[in-house]
Amino acid sequence: MRLLFLGDIVGRPGRAVVANLLPGLVDRHRLDFVIINGENAAGGFGITEEIVQDVLDAGADVITTGNHAFDQREALVFAERQPRFLRPVNFPAGTPGRGANLFVARNGARVLVVNVMGRVFMDALDDPFAALDREVAACPLGEQADAIVIDFHAEATSEKQAAAHHLDGRVSLVVGTHTHVPTADHRILPGGTAYQSDAGMCGDYDSVLGMEKEEPVRRFLTKIPSGRFSPASGEGTLCGIAVEIDEATGLAKAVAPLAIGGVLEQRLPPFWA
Ligand SMILES: [Fe+2]
Ligand SMILES: [Fe+2]
């Protein structure tokens, strides 16, 4: 089974590269399931229902988020009626929407996707480890789920690595989001779970985390905000991780990073050839 996970969509360059490239990739490489983090898709802050639909139309099966899930207020409403939109599962009880859901991939596999947020250098939330244990126990690999993917939205690589080792052998993929920078540590852990600390972003990398450089640089130099953050407007990179999943076990057989377009080194998974 072929799965693609793409990092945070940031602004128009991220939306454009998803709309322009994803349909062809799904088609050409017969992708069974596509997950995209969309938390910065609307001008860098949150996502609208219209963008959710555009991303789904481009070939995504699920849109995950993180700390920016509800930056666009309308998400409080559509989160309830859009089962393919996930916000962190460990948000407080009563938060609209859901943090985990079971989907059917194009090959017929049942895929559990869980979106969770870390707590190190982030907001104080419910324990993400307990939340993951609960979600995976409710829908175990090899029983109710044929594949399980965790989007661990967090700042600290330590927290993401710890979560991956804690879940090793129980899920197909643990991938980090939020830092917008792809890490070079993609691998399959001893128990068979694929892992990458951060998938990167779909956006313009000639920027500071997808935002125009000038204002963040000024704030670091002077500590005086003198404008708003707005997404950079150059060519975006489609950036993420591809996983080949063993249909018999739900564990990873191969994992490789992907980057297409923009200023990053171009990378296509070798097993897609
Ligand atoms: Fe983000
Ligand atoms: Fe984030």
Side-chain angles (χ1 to χ4, degrees), residues 17-231:
V17 81
V18 168
N20 294 338
L21 298 181
L22 186 59
L25 289 179
V26 170
D27 206 41
R28 199 158 48 247
H29 301 289
R30 302 179 314 282
L31 305 185
D32 295 303
F33 203 74
V34 178
I35 305 165
I36 310 185
N37 188 300
E39 71 153 6
N40 309 103
F45 299 93
I47 187 164
T48 62
E49 188 166 28
E50 194 181 337
I51 298 173
V52 165
Q53 198 53 55
D54 290 345
V55 175
L56 295 176
D57 289 345
D61 294 281
V62 186
I63 296 165
T64 55
T65 56
N67 51 308
H68 292 293
F70 295 111
D71 284 1
Q72 302 292 324
R73 311 298 294 174
E74 63 179 89
L76 293 165
V77 177
F78 73 71
E80 287 290 327
R81 62 172 175 243
Q82 177 49 269
R84 295 181 183 273
F85 171 88
L86 300 182
R87 46 76 175 167
V89 72
N90 54 335
F91 272 11
T95 303
R98 68 212 86 201
N101 209 353
L102 190 65
F103 304 92
V104 178
R106 280 175 277 282
N107 65 338
R110 300 160 300 171
V111 185
L112 173 68
V113 182
V114 186
N115 190 187
V116 71
M117 203 164 114
R119 296 190 293 187
V120 179
F121 310 129
M122 311 271 295
D123 295 339
L125 289 172
D126 288 349
D127 180 356
F129 291 80
L132 287 169
D133 278 339
R134 200 162 49 237
E135 295 301 328
V136 172
C139 187
L141 196 61
E143 294 176 40
Q144 282 86 353
D146 301 306
I148 300 180
V149 178
I150 312 297
D151 174 351
F152 201 109
H153 195 82
E155 197 77 62
T157 45
S158 58
E159 196 176 19
K160 301 189 217 188
Q161 286 187 0
H165 286 298
H166 180 61
L167 292 169
D168 187 16
R170 291 192 284 152
V171 306
S172 315
L173 167 69
V174 175
V175 61
T177 55
H178 179 67
T179 71
H180 293 195
V181 177
T183 56
D185 62 341
H186 56 277
R187 64 192 187 277
I188 298 174
L189 301 177
T193 295
Y195 175 69
Q196 184 184 26
S197 294
D198 205 289
M201 67 168 175
C202 295
D204 177 8
Y205 279 82
D206 183 22
S207 66
V208 175
L209 307 188
M211 295 296 179
E212 289 286 2
K213 294 171 271 196
E214 288 71 20
E215 178 60 17
V217 171
R218 206 159 35 225
R219 288 196 200 181
F220 278 111
L221 290 175
T222 69
K223 208 66 197 121
I224 302 167
S226 52
R228 297 171 49 136
F229 288 131
S230 57

